[in-house]
Amino acid sequence: NTSSRMESNSKKNKIHLSDAAAELLMVQAPNASLNCRGVVPIKGKGDMTTYWLEDLPTQSCECDSDNINLRLNTKQEAFVAL
């Protein structure tokens, strides 16, 4: 799966995002700092545009649609709630 490939093609202490994950993160945390890694050959997936998460400022948001509270404190705690 894509998340496994992002991990295996990442670097130590870096958060590696697919294009789809980066788009979702920018909706949920628009102040997140992403750095485009460029097109990377991903085994079993082909060439993919990927991103590094450089910084995720502290913020809180509430998602009314599912009554979910999402708190993002640091990039180590970052997640995308679906």
Side-chain angles (χ1 to χ4, degrees):
N1 78 28
T2 302
S3 62
S4 175
R5 297 297 186 207
M6 291 299 102
E7 183 179 5
S8 64
N9 283 279
S10 191
K11 294 183 180 177
K12 186 176 180 178
N13 296 320
K14 298 285 272 183
I15 297 175
H16 192 201
L17 301 169
S18 67
D19 190 43
E23 286 180 27
L24 287 172
L25 182 62
M26 292 311 296
V27 169
Q28 293 189 13
N31 293 328
S33 176
L34 299 179
N35 184 18
C36 184
R37 186 176 183 192
V39 177
V40 178
I42 304 294
K43 181 180 174 183
K45 300 286 183 177
D47 291 341
M48 295 179 68
T49 300
T50 64
Y51 299 83
W52 295 120
L53 176 61
E54 299 296 342
D55 188 32
L56 189 59
T58 299
Q59 66 181 23
S60 294
C61 69
E62 293 185 19
C63 302
D64 295 330
S65 62
D66 295 323
N67 200 20
I68 298 172
N69 292 322
L70 171 63
R71 180 164 178 79
L72 303 175
N73 290 317
T74 66
K75 61 184 174 183
Q76 286 77 24
E77 298 173 359
F79 64 92
V80 177
L82 298 175

